[in-house]
Amino acid sequence: MPELRCKDIITFFVFQINLINNSSHIHKSGFVNIIGCPNVGKSTLLNALVGERLSIITSKAQTTRHRIMGIVNTSHSQVVFSDTPGILKPMYKLQEKMMQFVIEALADADVFLLITDVFEDIELQPEYIEKLKVTKTPVLLLINKIDASTQEKVEEKAHEWREKLPNAEILAISALQKFNLDRVMARIEELIPAGEPYYDKDALTDKPERFFVSEIIREKILLNYKKEIPYSVEVVINSFKEEKKIIRIQADILVERDSQKGIIIGNKGEALKKVGIQARKDCEAFFGKQVHMELFVKVSKDWRSNDLRLKNFGYNH
Ligand SMILES: Nc1nc2c(ncn2[C@@H]2O[C@H](COP(=O)(O)OP(=O)(O)OP(=O)(O)O)[C@@H](O)[C@H]2O)c(=O)[nH]1
Ligand SMILES: [Mg+2]
């Protein structure tokens, strides 16, 4: 009889230890959606958190046009970050579709990363502030680009935002210099709920390879052309053939008007050649393989205002 009691006690302790072990290994997963005005550093932040160059970055506003997921996996968590287009008042259909991605991201977040920067050229529209004020979803307000500012300016910004969004937790960061991102990540891990992973544990993104090629080409167009030109361009990958040693890519650069076609091609084709060389180099770095790239310029009249074209280009929800 005493022997049996001893066994019971041991079984009880083993059971308790198992419970403790299991609770420390509960898997957590969540959608962490990055939103904010154009040009504040949302894509720079996504890339820094994920550790890969998934989103294109330029100094021009409206660089990002899609919702782009970047997934961070650990043995005990899966964080699905979403980069989104900068929030603006839409002036044409493409911008309306871009804002649909933001609205989608407002609906399915477990945590919001609301990015603002110390310069804040554009104010976040009041309707978005109202939405974030009443949401039950935790909001981390990240004041970015503090590397380019002073302590006083950052404190001033933090004070302004405390008034505007009292429920938000404020952190000052530099996405470019990866300052304070470990604190952001640690807080996210605390805030996301327990749950099974949404994607395979080795997944990095929801987007196919062709998407990244078209984005790299668009980045080079944003960097090489002025004014309205980059905003009138869409890139469509016609063919992506992976061979043993080389990837062969054919892409169309679509513009809205004939006059824009000439500008993209440039004198004796020099401008287009430059885009091709820069895009090929980046694609080679992205895929870790030799790339052959052929670019064609075509006119797709007023594509930015055409529902069917926009749908075909992936701006559908
Ligand atoms: N100094 C400084 N510049 C930054 C920082 N983060 C981003 N930038 C710069 O800000 C500019 C815009 O960065 P993006 O990441 O493209 O901004 P975004 O919010 O994704 O912009 P959209 O996609 O157009 O809405 C780029 O020139 C970045 O190099 C930062 O922490 N410090
Ligand atoms: Mg962006």
Side-chain angles (χ1 to χ4, degrees):
M1 203 55 174
E3 206 186 316
L4 191 67
R5 237 178 246 149
C6 189
K7 252 188 187 169
D8 283 347
I9 290 166
I10 290 167
T11 312
F12 175 76
F13 275 118
V14 169
F15 178 65
Q16 287 291 313
I17 286 163
N18 276 341
L19 270 184
I20 291 164
N21 279 344
N22 284 340
S23 66
S24 66
H25 285 107
I26 285 176
H27 192 276
K28 297 181 98 181
S29 56
F31 283 88
V32 176
N33 299 348
I34 307 175
I35 55 170
C37 288
N39 219 28
V40 291
K42 299 178 296 299
S43 302
T44 308
L45 180 70
L46 174 92
N47 290 354
L49 289 167
V50 176
E52 292 283 341
R53 228 174 141 242
L54 294 180
S55 275
I56 58 168
I57 295 165
T58 78
S59 58
K60 291 198 172 86
Q62 298 177 56
T63 295
T64 306
R65 289 181 180 169
H66 294 262
R67 177 176 180 171
I68 301 162
M69 292 186 189
I71 305 166
V72 176
N73 292 295
T74 67
S75 59
H76 57 276
S77 70
Q78 181 174 77
V79 184
V80 184
F81 289 102
S82 287
D83 184 16
T84 59
I87 295 169
L88 46 77
K89 228 188 187 80
M91 306 294 278
Y92 44 88
K93 271 198 182 137
L94 167 65
Q95 290 184 334
E96 277 171 29
K97 304 279 177 192
M98 284 158 62
M99 290 311 101
Q100 280 300 318
F101 288 123
V102 180
I103 289 161
E104 214 176 69
L106 280 171
D108 66 14
D110 293 296
V111 177
F112 287 116
L113 299 186
L114 173 62
I115 317 294
T116 175
D117 68 18
V118 281
F119 309 112
E120 241 174 10
D121 296 332
I122 307 167
E123 284 224 0
L124 188 60
Q125 286 169 38
E127 63 258 40
Y128 287 90
I129 302 223
E130 283 313 309
K131 275 193 183 121
L132 293 167
K133 228 177 193 169
V134 297
T135 182
K136 293 201 167 61
T137 307
V139 180
L140 298 186
L141 183 112
L142 307 181
I143 300 175
N144 190 26
K145 307 190 187 176
I146 62 163
D147 57 286
S149 184
T150 59
Q151 180 76 17
E152 291 77 45
K153 187 87 186 124
V154 175
E155 276 169 21
E156 201 182 292
K157 278 282 154 220
H159 179 73
E160 278 171 28
W161 277 101
R162 223 168 274 130
E163 307 257 293
K164 275 194 237 180
L165 272 185
N167 58 332
E169 279 179 50
I170 300 179
L171 282 168
I173 63 161
S174 166
L176 193 66
Q177 303 200 344
K178 300 190 171 68
F179 173 77
N180 241 355
L181 300 191
D182 46 350
R183 276 186 67 194
V184 174
M185 203 61 206
R187 192 66 189 112
I188 288 168
E189 294 249 356
E190 283 168 7
L191 289 170
I192 57 171
E196 292 299 309
Y198 290 99
Y199 295 90
D200 281 350
K201 288 288 286 200
D202 57 2
L204 173 65
T205 179
D206 62 324
K207 291 270 181 281
E209 287 162 327
R210 281 168 178 247
F211 174 79
F212 295 103
V213 175
S214 66
E215 286 291 90
I216 288 169
I217 298 169
R218 210 165 55 75
E219 183 186 72
K220 302 311 167 203
I221 289 165
L222 276 153
L223 293 172
N224 283 289
Y225 301 91
K226 292 192 199 113
K227 294 187 185 155
E228 196 54 20
I229 296 290
Y231 300 104
S232 309
V233 163
E234 181 62 35
V235 177
V236 175
I237 307 303
N238 282 330
S239 132
F240 181 101
K241 285 190 192 131
E242 184 153 12
E243 295 170 11
K244 210 169 175 192
K245 287 196 177 144
I246 194 166
I247 303 173
R248 295 184 192 278
I249 298 166
Q250 279 187 358
D252 283 347
I253 297 173
L254 303 175
V255 288
E256 289 206 297
R257 292 190 297 276
D258 273 322
S259 57
Q260 296 166 338
K261 188 174 166 180
I263 296 171
I264 294 282
I265 295 169
N267 188 20
K268 294 180 187 153
E270 285 299 324
L272 183 63
K273 195 172 161 196
K274 198 168 161 199
V275 167
I277 292 169
Q278 291 174 355
R280 178 178 53 75
K281 277 189 187 150
D282 275 21
C283 284
E284 285 179 343
F286 188 82
F287 294 111
K289 207 167 179 177
Q290 201 186 334
V291 166
H292 178 267
M293 185 175 281
E294 269 187 287
L295 298 177
F296 304 92
V297 187
K298 292 179 184 164
V299 179
S300 172
K301 211 166 172 327
D302 297 328
W303 67 266
R304 292 192 310 188
S305 315
N306 183 313
D307 272 323
L308 187 63
R309 299 237 169 88
L310 287 166
K311 196 171 169 214
N312 288 340
F313 298 157
Y315 300 98
N316 51 340
H317 301 271

